[in-house]
Coordinates of all heavy atoms in Angstrom, one line a residue:
Y1 N -3.7 -7.5 4.8 CA -2.3 -7.5 5.0 C -1.6 -8.1 3.9 O -0.5 -7.6 3.5 CB -2.0 -8.3 6.3 CG -2.1 -7.4 7.6 CD1 -3.2 -7.5 8.4 CD2 -1.0 -6.6 7.9 CE1 -3.2 -6.7 9.5 CE2 -1.1 -5.8 9.0 CZ -2.2 -5.9 9.9 OH -2.3 -5.1 11.0
R2 N -2.1 -9.1 3.3 CA -1.4 -9.8 2.1 C -1.3 -8.8 1.0 O -0.2 -8.7 0.4 CB -2.2 -11.0 1.8 CG -1.5 -11.9 0.7 CD -2.4 -13.0 0.3 NE -1.7 -13.9 -0.6 CZ -2.3 -14.9 -1.3 NH1 -3.6 -15.1 -1.2 NH2 -1.7 -15.7 -2.1
I3 N -2.4 -8.2 0.6 CA -2.4 -7.3 -0.6 C -1.6 -6.1 -0.3 O -0.8 -5.6 -1.2 CB -3.9 -7.0 -1.0 CG1 -4.6 -8.2 -1.5 CG2 -3.9 -5.9 -2.1 CD1 -6.1 -8.0 -1.7
S4 N -1.7 -5.5 0.8 CA -1.0 -4.2 1.1 C 0.5 -4.6 1.2 O 1.4 -3.8 0.7 CB -1.4 -3.6 2.4 OG -1.2 -4.5 3.5
G5 N 0.9 -5.7 1.8 CA 2.3 -6.1 1.8 C 2.9 -6.3 0.4 O 4.0 -6.0 0.1
H6 N 2.1 -6.9 -0.5 CA 2.5 -7.2 -1.8 C 2.8 -5.9 -2.6 O 3.8 -5.7 -3.2 CB 1.5 -8.0 -2.6 CG 1.8 -8.2 -4.0 ND1 2.7 -9.0 -4.5 CD2 1.2 -7.6 -5.1 CE1 2.8 -9.0 -5.8 NE2 1.9 -8.1 -6.2
Y7 N 1.8 -4.9 -2.5 CA 2.0 -3.7 -3.2 C 3.1 -2.8 -2.6 O 3.8 -2.0 -3.3 CB 0.7 -2.9 -3.3 CG -0.2 -3.5 -4.3 CD1 -1.4 -4.2 -4.0 CD2 0.0 -3.3 -5.7 CE1 -2.2 -4.8 -4.9 CE2 -0.8 -3.8 -6.7 CZ -2.0 -4.6 -6.3 OH -2.8 -5.1 -7.2
A8 N 3.2 -2.9 -1.3 CA 4.3 -2.1 -0.6 C 5.7 -2.6 -1.1 O 6.6 -1.9 -1.3 CB 4.2 -2.2 0.9
S9 N 5.8 -4.0 -1.2 CA 7.1 -4.5 -1.6 C 7.3 -4.1 -3.1 O 8.5 -3.8 -3.5 CB 7.0 -6.1 -1.5 OG 8.2 -6.7 -2.0
L10 N 6.3 -4.1 -3.9 CA 6.4 -3.7 -5.3 C 6.9 -2.3 -5.5 O 7.8 -2.0 -6.3 CB 5.1 -3.9 -6.1 CG 5.1 -3.6 -7.6 CD1 6.1 -4.5 -8.3 CD2 3.7 -3.8 -8.1
T11 N 6.3 -1.4 -4.7 CA 6.7 0.0 -4.8 C 8.1 0.2 -4.3 O 8.9 1.1 -4.8 CB 5.8 0.9 -4.0 OG1 5.6 0.4 -2.7 CG2 4.4 0.9 -4.7
L12 N 8.6 -0.6 -3.3 CA 9.9 -0.5 -2.8 C 10.9 -1.0 -3.8 O 12.0 -0.4 -3.9 CB 10.1 -1.2 -1.5 CG 9.4 -0.6 -0.2 CD1 9.5 -1.5 1.0 CD2 10.0 0.7 0.1
W13 N 10.6 -2.0 -4.5 CA 11.5 -2.4 -5.6 C 11.6 -1.4 -6.7 O 12.7 -1.1 -7.3 CB 11.0 -3.7 -6.2 CG 11.4 -5.0 -5.5 CD1 10.6 -5.9 -4.8 CD2 12.7 -5.4 -5.2 NE1 11.3 -6.8 -4.2 CE2 12.6 -6.6 -4.5 CE3 14.0 -5.0 -5.6 CZ2 13.7 -7.4 -4.1 CZ3 15.1 -5.7 -5.2 CH2 15.0 -6.9 -4.4
M14 N 10.5 -0.7 -7.0 CA 10.5 0.4 -8.0 C 11.4 1.6 -7.4 O 12.1 2.2 -8.2 CB 9.1 0.9 -8.3 CG 8.3 -0.2 -9.0 SD 6.5 0.3 -9.2 CE 6.7 1.8 -10.1
A15 N 11.3 1.8 -6.1 CA 12.1 2.9 -5.5 C 13.6 2.5 -5.6 O 14.4 3.4 -5.8 CB 11.7 3.1 -4.0
F16 N 13.9 1.2 -5.5 CA 15.3 0.8 -5.6 C 15.8 1.1 -7.0 O 17.0 1.5 -7.2 CB 15.4 -0.7 -5.2 CG 16.8 -1.2 -5.3 CD1 17.8 -0.8 -4.3 CD2 17.3 -2.0 -6.3 CE1 19.1 -1.3 -4.3 CE2 18.6 -2.5 -6.4 CZ 19.5 -2.1 -5.3
C17 N 15.0 0.8 -8.0 CA 15.4 1.1 -9.4 C 15.5 2.6 -9.7 O 16.5 3.0 -10.3 CB 14.3 0.5 -10.4 SG 14.2 -1.3 -10.3
T18 N 14.6 3.4 -9.2 CA 14.8 4.8 -9.4 C 16.0 5.4 -8.6 O 16.7 6.3 -9.1 CB 13.5 5.6 -8.9 OG1 13.2 5.2 -7.5 CG2 12.4 5.2 -9.8
W19 N 16.4 4.8 -7.5 CA 17.6 5.2 -6.8 C 18.8 4.9 -7.6 O 19.8 5.7 -7.7 CB 17.7 4.5 -5.4 CG 19.0 4.6 -4.8 CD1 19.5 5.7 -4.1 CD2 20.1 3.6 -4.8 NE1 20.8 5.4 -3.6 CE2 21.1 4.2 -4.0 CE3 20.2 2.3 -5.3 CZ2 22.3 3.5 -3.8 CZ3 21.4 1.7 -5.1 CH2 22.4 2.2 -4.4
L20 N 18.8 3.7 -8.3 CA 20.0 3.3 -9.2 C 20.0 4.3 -10.3 O 21.1 4.7 -10.7 CB 19.8 1.9 -9.7 CG 20.0 0.8 -8.7 CD1 19.7 -0.6 -9.4 CD2 21.4 0.8 -8.1
L21 N 18.9 4.7 -10.9 CA 18.9 5.7 -12.0 C 19.4 7.1 -11.5 O 20.2 7.7 -12.2 CB 17.5 5.9 -12.5 CG 17.0 4.7 -13.4 CD1 15.5 5.0 -13.8 CD2 17.8 4.6 -14.6
S22 N 19.1 7.5 -10.3 CA 19.6 8.7 -9.7 C 21.1 8.7 -9.6 O 21.8 9.7 -9.9 CB 18.9 9.0 -8.4 OG 19.3 8.1 -7.4
I23 N 21.7 7.6 -9.1 CA 23.1 7.4 -9.0 C 23.8 7.5 -10.3 O 24.8 8.2 -10.5 CB 23.5 6.1 -8.3 CG1 22.9 6.1 -6.8 CG2 25.0 5.9 -8.3 CD1 23.5 7.2 -5.9
L24 N 23.2 6.9 -11.3 CA 23.7 6.9 -12.7 C 23.7 8.3 -13.3 O 24.7 8.8 -13.9 CB 22.9 6.0 -13.6 CG 23.3 5.9 -15.0 CD1 24.8 5.3 -15.2 CD2 22.4 5.0 -15.8
L25 N 22.6 9.0 -13.1 CA 22.5 10.4 -13.6 C 23.4 11.4 -12.9 O 24.0 12.3 -13.5 CB 21.0 10.9 -13.5 CG 20.0 10.2 -14.3 CD1 18.6 10.6 -14.0 CD2 20.3 10.4 -15.8
F26 N 23.6 11.2 -11.6 CA 24.6 12.0 -10.9 C 26.0 11.8 -11.3 O 26.8 12.7 -11.3 CB 24.4 11.8 -9.4 CG 23.2 12.5 -8.8 CD1 22.5 11.9 -7.8 CD2 22.9 13.8 -9.2 CE1 21.4 12.5 -7.3 CE2 21.8 14.4 -8.6 CZ 21.0 13.8 -7.7
S27 N 26.3 10.6 -11.7 CA 27.7 10.3 -12.1 C 28.0 10.7 -13.6 O 29.1 10.7 -14.0 CB 27.9 8.8 -11.9 OG 27.1 8.0 -12.8
M28 N 26.9 11.0 -14.4 CA 27.2 11.2 -15.8 C 27.9 12.5 -16.2 O 28.7 12.5 -17.1 CB 25.9 11.0 -16.6 CG 25.5 9.6 -16.7 SD 23.9 9.3 -17.6 CE 24.4 9.8 -19.2
P29 N 27.6 13.7 -15.6 CA 26.6 14.0 -14.6 C 25.4 14.8 -15.2 O 25.6 15.7 -16.0 CB 27.3 15.0 -13.6 CG 28.3 15.6 -14.5 CD 28.6 14.7 -15.7
I30 N 24.2 14.4 -14.9 CA 23.0 15.1 -15.3 C 22.2 15.4 -14.0 O 21.4 14.6 -13.5 CB 22.1 14.3 -16.3 CG1 23.0 13.8 -17.4 CG2 21.0 15.1 -16.8 CD1 22.3 12.9 -18.4
L31 N 22.6 16.5 -13.3 CA 22.2 16.7 -11.9 C 20.7 17.0 -11.8 O 20.1 16.5 -10.8 CB 23.0 17.9 -11.4 CG 24.5 17.8 -11.5 CD1 25.2 19.0 -10.9 CD2 25.0 16.5 -10.9
L32 N 20.1 17.7 -12.7 CA 18.7 18.0 -12.6 C 17.8 16.8 -12.6 O 17.0 16.6 -11.8 CB 18.3 19.0 -13.7 CG 16.8 19.5 -13.6 CD1 16.5 20.2 -12.3 CD2 16.5 20.4 -14.8
Y33 N 18.1 15.9 -13.6 CA 17.3 14.7 -13.7 C 17.6 13.7 -12.6 O 16.8 12.9 -12.2 CB 17.5 14.1 -15.1 CG 17.0 14.9 -16.2 CD1 17.8 15.7 -16.9 CD2 15.6 14.9 -16.5 CE1 17.3 16.5 -18.0 CE2 15.1 15.7 -17.5 CZ 15.9 16.5 -18.2 OH 15.4 17.2 -19.2
G34 N 18.8 13.8 -12.0 CA 19.1 13.0 -10.8 C 18.3 13.4 -9.7 O 17.8 12.6 -8.9
G35 N 18.1 14.7 -9.5 CA 17.2 15.3 -8.5 C 15.7 14.8 -8.7 O 15.0 14.4 -7.7
Y36 N 15.3 14.8 -9.9 CA 13.9 14.3 -10.2 C 13.8 12.8 -9.8 O 12.8 12.4 -9.3 CB 13.6 14.4 -11.7 CG 13.4 15.8 -12.1 CD1 13.7 16.3 -13.4 CD2 12.9 16.8 -11.3 CE1 13.5 17.6 -13.8 CE2 12.7 18.1 -11.7 CZ 13.0 18.5 -12.9 OH 12.8 19.8 -13.3
M37 N 14.8 12.0 -10.1 CA 14.8 10.6 -9.7 C 14.8 10.4 -8.2 O 14.1 9.5 -7.7 CB 16.0 9.9 -10.3 CG 15.9 9.6 -11.8 SD 14.5 8.5 -12.2 CE 13.4 9.6 -12.9
L38 N 15.5 11.3 -7.5 CA 15.4 11.2 -6.0 C 14.0 11.5 -5.5 O 13.5 10.9 -4.6 CB 16.4 12.2 -5.4 CG 17.8 11.7 -5.2 CD1 18.7 12.7 -4.6 CD2 17.9 10.4 -4.4
L39 N 13.3 12.5 -6.1 CA 12.0 12.8 -5.8 C 11.0 11.7 -6.0 O 10.1 11.3 -5.2 CB 11.5 14.1 -6.5 CG 12.0 15.4 -6.1 CD1 11.4 16.5 -6.9 CD2 11.7 15.7 -4.6
L40 N 11.2 11.0 -7.2 CA 10.4 9.8 -7.5 C 10.7 8.7 -6.5 O 9.7 8.0 -6.1 CB 10.7 9.4 -8.9 CG 9.8 8.2 -9.4 CD1 8.4 8.5 -9.3 CD2 10.2 7.9 -10.9
T41 N 11.9 8.5 -6.1 CA 12.3 7.5 -5.1 C 11.5 7.8 -3.8 O 11.0 6.9 -3.1 CB 13.8 7.5 -4.8 OG1 14.4 7.2 -6.0 CG2 14.1 6.4 -3.8
A42 N 11.5 9.1 -3.3 CA 10.9 9.4 -2.1 C 9.4 9.2 -2.2 O 8.7 8.7 -1.3 CB 11.1 10.9 -1.8
A43 N 8.8 9.5 -3.4 CA 7.3 9.3 -3.6 C 7.0 7.9 -3.5 O 6.0 7.5 -2.8 CB 6.9 9.9 -4.9
L44 N 7.8 7.0 -4.1 CA 7.5 5.6 -4.0 C 7.6 5.0 -2.6 O 6.8 4.2 -2.2 CB 8.4 4.8 -5.0 CG 8.2 5.1 -6.5 CD1 9.3 4.5 -7.3 CD2 6.8 4.5 -6.9

């Protein structure tokens, strides 16, 4: 439980960073790469 919780928290923080990147790309706008960042967020 300790190790799985640690790595789950780490991947969720990475998902939060990729979500921020997707918002930034959509606002620039670079729509295709924003979609890629959303896919990466979902995977994490």
Side-chain angles (χ1 to χ4, degrees):
Y1 273 102
R2 185 186 186 191
I3 295 174
S4 63
H6 173 74
Y7 283 107
S9 178
L10 181 61
T11 53
L12 287 174
W13 278 116
M14 294 173 63
F16 183 73
C17 294
T18 55
W19 169 78
L20 288 177
L21 286 175
S22 69
I23 296 297
L24 179 63
L25 292 172
F26 283 138
S27 62
M28 290 180 65
I30 308 176
L31 305 182
L32 181 60
Y33 292 100
Y36 289 150
M37 285 296 105
L38 275 181
L39 285 182
L40 185 56
T41 302
L44 290 171

